[in-house]
């Protein structure tokens, strides 16, 4: 009898454990669980980047990007056909066959683009031999308020330092070709932003950013490791607190672009992207924009979607600048 009770108890524990694991997997799928790294420290990101290009990074463990992220990568690919486009996903194994098309349509849309390379990302190897290595070894993701954001802030400057090229956030839709040069774009008159950056390999400004990232680390304040970081380092670089005076000029070899190039609509008016626009107004308003940052973090609570036939500004951008994404992930979803 006791033996039977032990067997039943073992079975119940096994069932309960399986339930917990299944439940946690579901929670991770919905909310996204954050870890540090799954790759050995000797993993070589250099093998994945044969030449400088346009870079995107996903710092959660998801391997099924949002429609907006896919649109961002596709639009950069189409506007810059002669440049390689790299999409680094921390949770990606490196083998596309691990992700059946039925459940991972988005990543297969990207894999069909000729100049796009989807790559795994080893954080240990990326931060190795940079000031960010000591920060990464000490930081605990579970105690960080804005982990995926501060991790993204660290990844972009490390990638630019090691490989050079152009970094774009996955909520920037490219409207025009980009040229390789050292540039930063202003978000406002006195505030720079790091959502769109271009730098040559091992540029001193990026090294200064990495050192400042560690010495002034404040993971609990939104933007401290992002726009605030770029702004304070740029002020020291230009030896001026009035960054607006450098619009359309170079400061010690760095072009400082005004907001209209990537931030024509400010984050306070982000909902404008989900309103109806006349096409003639779109063309005139964005006549000088290289890309549009749609401030997706502001949309997190509302979850506004791009809908086929809505006539919104976002639908216009999707249909014109990332047509494959629009057809596969927006129109088909609406019809379904």
């Amino acid at each position: 009898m006791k033996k039977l009770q032990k067997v039943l108890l073992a079975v119940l524990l096994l069932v309960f454990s399986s339930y917990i694991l299944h439940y946690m997997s579901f929670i991770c799928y919905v909310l996204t669980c954050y870890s540090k790294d799954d790759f050995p420290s000797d993993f070589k990101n250099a093998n994945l980047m044969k030449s400088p290009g346009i870079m995107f990074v996903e710092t959660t463990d998801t391997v099924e990007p949002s429609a907006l992220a896919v649109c961002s990568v596709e639009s950069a690919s189409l506007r810059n056909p002669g440049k390689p486009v790299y999409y680094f996903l921390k949770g990606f194994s490196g083998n596309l066959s691990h992700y059946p098309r039925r459940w991972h349509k988005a990543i297969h849309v990207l894999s069909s683009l000729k100049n796009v390379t989807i790559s795994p990302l080893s954080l240990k190897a990326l931060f190795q031999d940079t000031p960010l290595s000591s920060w990464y070894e000490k930081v605990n993701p579970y105690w960080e308020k804005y982990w995926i954001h501060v991790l993204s802030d660290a990844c972009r400057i490390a990638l630019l330092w090691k490989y050079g090229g152009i970094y774009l956030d996955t909520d920037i839709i490219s409207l025009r070709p980009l040229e390789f040069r050292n540039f930063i774009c202003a978000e406002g008159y006195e505030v720079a932003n790091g959502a769109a950056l271009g730098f040559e390999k091992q540029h001193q400004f990026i090294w200064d950013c990495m050192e400042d990232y560690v010495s002034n680390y404040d993971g609990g304040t939104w933007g401290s490791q992002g726009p605030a970081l770029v702004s304070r380092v740029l002020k020291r670089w230009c030896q001026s607190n009035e960054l607006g005076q450098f619009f359309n000029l170079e400061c010690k070899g760095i072009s400082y672009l005004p907001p209209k190039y990537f931030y024509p609509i400010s984050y306070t008016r982000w909902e404008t992207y989900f309103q109806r626009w006349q096409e003639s107004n779109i063309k005139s308003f964005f006549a000088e924009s290289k890309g549009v940052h749609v401030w997706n973090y502001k949309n997190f609570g509302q979850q506004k979607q791009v809908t086929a036939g809505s006539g919104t500004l976002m639908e216009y951008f999707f249909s014109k600048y990332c047509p494959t994404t629009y057809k596969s992930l927006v129109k088909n979803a609406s019809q379904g």
Side-chain angles (χ1 to χ4, degrees):
M1 188 66 180
K2 288 184 178 180
K3 185 177 292 186
L4 179 60
Q5 288 177 334
K6 289 182 179 180
V7 171
L8 288 174
L9 181 61
V11 170
L12 285 173
L13 286 173
L14 180 62
V15 171
F16 181 73
S17 300
S18 299
Y19 172 78
I20 291 296
L21 288 172
H22 177 76
Y23 178 75
M24 289 304 297
S25 297
F26 175 76
I27 293 297
C28 286
Y29 175 77
V30 175
L31 299 179
T32 307
C33 291
Y34 312 125
S35 58
K36 291 184 79 170
D37 210 342
D38 294 323
F39 295 99
S41 59
D42 61 352
F43 182 92
K44 299 299 183 183
N45 289 311
N47 295 334
L48 306 175
M49 294 188 63
K50 304 303 182 183
S51 59
I54 301 172
M55 300 176 288
F56 296 86
V57 174
E58 174 57 61
T59 53
T60 71
D61 293 333
T62 183
V63 289
E64 181 64 0
S66 67
L68 176 56
V70 178
C71 179
S72 297
V73 177
E74 182 188 357
S75 63
S77 167
L78 295 180
R79 301 280 82 73
N80 303 272
K83 294 182 176 67
V85 177
Y86 303 99
Y87 189 22
F88 292 98
L89 292 91
K90 187 169 74 69
F92 183 55
S93 70
N95 190 337
L96 198 61
S97 66
H98 292 168
Y99 310 99
R101 187 181 298 270
R102 181 182 179 185
W103 306 110
H104 299 276
K105 182 181 291 185
I107 199 170
H108 284 276
V109 168
L110 290 177
S111 70
S112 68
L113 302 173
K114 292 182 179 179
N115 59 330
V116 172
T117 299
I118 304 171
S119 300
L121 179 65
S122 168
L123 298 173
K124 288 181 182 178
L126 176 60
F127 298 142
Q128 198 169 28
D129 301 322
T130 76
L132 296 168
S133 181
S134 60
W135 162 80
Y136 183 69
E137 290 299 324
K138 295 176 183 177
V139 72
N140 185 336
Y142 300 101
W143 294 107
E144 292 294 323
K145 187 176 182 180
Y146 303 113
W147 173 243
I148 62 171
H149 302 284
V150 297
L151 182 58
S152 174
D153 293 330
C155 285
R156 71 192 66 185
I157 52 179
L159 283 167
L160 287 170
W161 168 257
K162 287 198 167 183
Y163 310 115
I166 297 169
Y167 168 85
L168 297 176
D169 271 1
T170 52
D171 59 348
I172 289 183
I173 300 174
S174 295
L175 308 186
R176 290 175 177 80
L178 299 175
E179 58 182 290
F180 287 133
R181 59 169 169 162
N182 301 322
F183 77 83
I184 298 171
C185 188
E187 175 185 327
Y189 191 76
E190 296 299 341
V191 182
N193 197 296
L197 296 169
F199 277 91
E200 62 191 17
K201 182 178 179 180
Q202 296 187 355
H203 194 283
Q204 183 61 46
F205 179 87
I206 298 298
W207 184 266
D208 293 348
C209 284
M210 292 190 293
E211 288 191 326
D212 188 286
Y213 185 103
V214 177
S215 60
N216 294 304
Y217 183 71
D218 179 8
T221 301
W222 175 264
S224 179
Q225 305 306 116
L229 167 74
V230 177
S231 298
R232 61 182 178 256
V233 176
L234 186 60
K235 287 177 180 179
R236 292 198 298 268
W237 182 269
C238 298
Q239 297 181 321
S240 173
N241 287 323
E242 298 180 6
L243 294 179
Q245 67 177 310
F246 297 103
F247 283 176
N248 282 321
L249 298 174
E250 281 197 2
C251 175
K252 296 182 180 178
I254 300 175
S255 297
Y256 193 47
L257 308 178
K260 63 184 178 182
Y261 280 89
F262 287 98
Y263 315 108
I265 294 177
S266 72
Y267 73 90
T268 59
R269 298 177 58 240
W270 70 273
E271 290 179 294
T272 303
Y273 284 108
F274 292 91
Q275 296 172 356
R276 297 175 71 92
W277 281 54
Q278 294 292 328
E279 186 171 342
S280 58
N281 293 338
I282 296 174
K283 291 181 177 179
S284 59
F285 188 87
F286 299 98
E288 297 183 74
S289 297
K290 295 288 188 180
V292 290
H293 188 216
V294 303
W295 310 104
N296 191 52
Y297 77 91
K298 298 288 289 184
N299 188 28
F300 182 76
Q302 300 195 41
Q303 294 294 304
K304 291 182 181 292
Q305 302 292 326
V306 181
T307 306
S310 63
T312 62
L313 182 57
M314 282 293 283
E315 188 202 7
Y316 175 86
F317 284 146
F318 267 65
S319 62
K320 184 174 178 64
Y321 297 104
C322 54
T324 302
T325 304
Y326 180 68
K327 179 181 178 181
S328 300
L329 304 181
V330 177
K331 289 189 73 174
N332 286 352
S334 299
Q335 293 168 359

